[in-house]
């Protein structure tokens, strides 16, 4: 597949696609938590970085390929290939970032993304011009599209499972493999056929040399690398919010939390002694959940468990999981503590709905009742509290 290719440029093409994927997915992960016009700006930025990553990978791969020495690149098909890429990436990200990402929605987005990547590739390929014709092996064309769709689905699934940390890195690598795998599979099925008259077959259109393309690709590689590095810079506002909202963060001193909370608070006058002696906030009776139709509300009494998923949560009502715009810390603060207990860094359960508890490794697992029972892990540090809430405290030494 890589016969005659420059191995360093092949490696660079995969790296560029992965870096573009990481930057785009990192921006897309913030869409759900940013209202108004910023939401659209983030979506446009994510689509732009992913599209630039795909397009740049394609042309780095073309520079790595053993092309005829008189090859030039027609400008119009090259620009059209980028526009196709940007359009399908934007639509795919919109579908998986807005509303509840169900299987049909994710599969449709992956199919659109894979077909869009393949379309971009073949439009860009036919932007090559010189004293040759291009012939494609139809079976390899089909295989390249399948590779693009399947690996794009894997990348989107990894991204939706957890939109930060290791899963974000995995989804970016899978995305890079999707683009690169499709490109080099298609290149394997592409053949140059010399023209009998030796004429340059580009019809007099505006064309660019490989040297010009190299400069453009180098600049775009720099842009992708810069965007990747910027995405690694921590957002101070998000860290401050997390420090105030997360009551289980052990590394933040109480005085520091009070100082941050005071600076981030609304301009309303503060209660004496920081609110000491004031009545506690009443727990919410319903939780918001999002779907393609909008925001719905479910009764807190019907909730079985809540699972952290990046900066929002998944609420299980005994039948299925649905997306909630709250963070896990906000959900813990809003719910009734006499009914709900945070049993793990990423899980809250409704104690009245616990049907079974079982030790597993250093921790435990709980089965929650309902039409579709499901299991929730319990951290080792929370086992004693869970047993106490369930009336399972060992009284032999009482």
């Amino acid at each position: 597949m890589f016969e005659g290719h420059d191995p360093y440029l092949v490696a660079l093409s995969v790296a560029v696609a992965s870096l573009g994927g990481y930057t785009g997915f990192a921006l897309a992960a913030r869409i759900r938590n940013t209202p108004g016009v910023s939401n659209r700006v983030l979506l446009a930025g994510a689509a732009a970085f992913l599209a630039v990553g795909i397009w740049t990978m394609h042309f780095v791969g073309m520079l790595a390929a053993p092309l005829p020495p008189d090859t030039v690149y027609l400008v119009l098909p090259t620009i059209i290939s980028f526009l196709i890429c940007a359009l399908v990436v934007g639509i795919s990200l919109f579908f998986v970032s807005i509303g509840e990402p169900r299987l049909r929605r994710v599969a449709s987005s992956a199919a659109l993304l894979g077909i869009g990547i393949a379309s971009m590739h073949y439009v860009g390929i036919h932007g090559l011009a010189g004293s040759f014709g291009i012939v494609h092996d139809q079976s390899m064309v089909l295989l390249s599209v399948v590779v693009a769709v399947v690996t794009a689905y894997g990348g989107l699934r990894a991204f939706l499972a957890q939109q930060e940390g290791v899963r974000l890195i995995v989804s970016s690598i899978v995305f890079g493999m999707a683009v690169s795998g499709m490109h080099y599979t298609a290149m394997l099925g592409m053949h140059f056929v010399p023209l009998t008259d030796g004429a340059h077959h580009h019809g007099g259109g505006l064309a660019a040399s490989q040297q010009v393309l190299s400069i453009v690709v180098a600049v775009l590689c720099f842009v992708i690398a810069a965007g990747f590095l910027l995405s690694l810079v921590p957002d101070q506002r998000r860290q401050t919010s997390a420090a105030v909202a997360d009551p289980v963060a052990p590394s933040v001193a109480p005085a520091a939390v009070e100082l941050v909370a005071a600076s981030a608070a609304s301009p309303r006058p503060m209660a004496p002694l920081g609110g000491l002696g004031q009545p506690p906030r009443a727990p919410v009776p319903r939780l918001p959940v999002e779907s393609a139709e909008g925001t719905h509300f479910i009764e807190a009494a019907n909730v079985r468990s809540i699972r952290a998923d990046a900066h929002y949560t998944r609420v299980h009502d005994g039948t299925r999981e649905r997306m909630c715009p709250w963070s896990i810390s906000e959900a813990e603060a809003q719910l009734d503590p006499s009914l709900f207990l945070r049993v793990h860094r990423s899980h809250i359960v409704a104690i009245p709905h616990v049907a079974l508890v079982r030790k597993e490794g250093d921790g435990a697992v709980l089965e929650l009742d309902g039409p579709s029972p499901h299991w929730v892990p319990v951290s080792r540090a929370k086992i004693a509290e869970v047993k106490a809430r369930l009336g399972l405290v060992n009284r032999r030494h009482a």
Side-chain angles (χ1 to χ4, degrees):
M1 181 180 294
F2 301 106
E3 183 178 359
H5 283 70
D6 185 325
Y8 297 105
L9 288 178
V10 170
L12 176 62
S13 68
V14 179
V16 164
S18 298
L19 291 180
Y22 185 95
T23 308
F25 286 149
L27 289 173
R30 303 179 187 179
I31 290 175
R32 294 182 184 274
N33 306 303
T34 309
V37 67
S38 297
N39 191 310
R40 293 188 284 272
V41 171
L42 285 175
L43 180 61
F49 268 105
L50 285 171
V52 169
I54 295 170
W55 190 88
T56 305
M57 178 275 136
H58 169 77
F59 282 100
V60 171
M62 295 307 299
L63 292 174
L67 301 179
D70 61 340
T71 302
V72 293
Y73 297 84
L74 298 180
V75 173
L76 183 59
T78 300
I79 294 176
I80 291 176
S81 69
F82 176 77
L83 295 178
I84 291 173
C85 186
L87 180 64
V88 296
V89 168
I91 295 174
S92 299
L93 279 183
F94 176 80
F95 279 132
V96 298
S97 300
I98 305 298
E100 189 174 356
R102 297 177 179 174
L103 176 61
R104 181 183 301 176
R105 180 185 291 246
V106 177
S108 300
S109 299
L112 178 63
L113 182 58
I115 293 172
I117 292 172
S119 301
M120 180 279 305
H121 172 88
Y122 286 107
V123 170
I125 285 294
H126 284 276
L128 299 177
S131 56
F132 53 81
I134 299 176
V135 177
H136 296 283
D137 185 335
Q138 297 300 319
S139 61
M140 297 305 294
V141 171
L142 179 60
L143 178 60
S144 67
V145 174
V146 172
V147 168
V149 171
V150 171
T151 49
Y153 178 82
L156 290 177
R157 268 298 172 198
F159 165 69
L160 291 170
Q162 184 175 343
Q163 299 174 354
E164 60 182 8
V166 176
R167 287 292 183 90
L168 181 56
I169 296 174
V170 171
S171 65
S172 306
I173 294 174
V174 174
F175 175 80
M177 292 172 57
V179 181
S180 306
M182 181 273 142
H183 174 88
Y184 291 109
T185 301
M187 292 294 289
L188 181 62
M190 186 183 80
H191 308 284
F192 294 103
V193 178
L195 298 179
T196 55
D197 56 2
H200 284 254
H201 183 62
H202 57 79
L206 184 62
S209 66
Q210 294 200 47
Q211 289 75 18
V212 172
L213 181 67
S214 299
I215 295 174
V216 173
V217 166
V219 171
L220 291 179
C221 286
F222 176 81
V223 170
I224 293 171
F228 169 72
L229 293 176
L230 286 175
S231 69
L232 298 180
V233 177
D235 189 335
Q236 189 64 35
R237 291 175 300 176
R238 292 171 62 191
Q239 287 187 338
T240 299
S241 300
V244 174
D246 195 345
V248 298
S251 60
V252 181
V257 172
E258 292 176 3
L259 180 61
V260 171
S263 63
S266 61
R268 293 178 299 175
M270 295 183 62
L273 301 178
L276 186 64
Q278 299 295 316
R281 182 170 57 181
V284 295
R286 300 188 301 170
L287 282 76
V289 292
E290 294 185 4
S291 68
E293 293 79 23
T295 303
H296 302 273
F297 294 88
I298 62 174
E299 298 295 329
N302 295 330
V303 173
R304 266 61 173 179
S305 67
I306 301 172
R307 174 174 65 88
D309 190 353
H311 305 298
Y312 55 96
T313 49
R314 301 280 178 177
V315 176
H316 203 298
D317 61 0
T319 303
R320 61 190 177 100
E321 277 190 331
R322 288 187 281 183
M323 195 204 79
C324 175
W326 292 350
S327 67
I328 188 72
S329 299
E330 184 178 1
E332 183 181 25
Q334 296 276 16
L335 294 170
D336 188 347
S338 66
L339 300 177
F340 293 89
L341 176 64
R342 191 165 181 172
V343 297
H344 187 276
R345 181 168 57 93
S346 302
H347 294 274
I348 296 173
V349 299
I351 294 297
H353 289 288
V354 175
L356 178 66
V357 58
R358 184 183 72 206
K359 184 171 177 58
E360 187 170 284
D362 292 336
V365 292
L366 302 176
E367 183 182 5
L368 285 304
D369 62 15
S372 299
H374 63 287
W375 295 88
V376 173
V378 180
S379 65
R380 181 173 58 181
K382 288 287 187 177
I383 291 179
E385 187 175 0
V386 169
K387 287 185 175 181
R389 295 287 296 271
L390 294 174
L392 300 177
V393 177
N394 192 338
R395 302 180 180 275
R396 288 181 300 175
H397 304 290

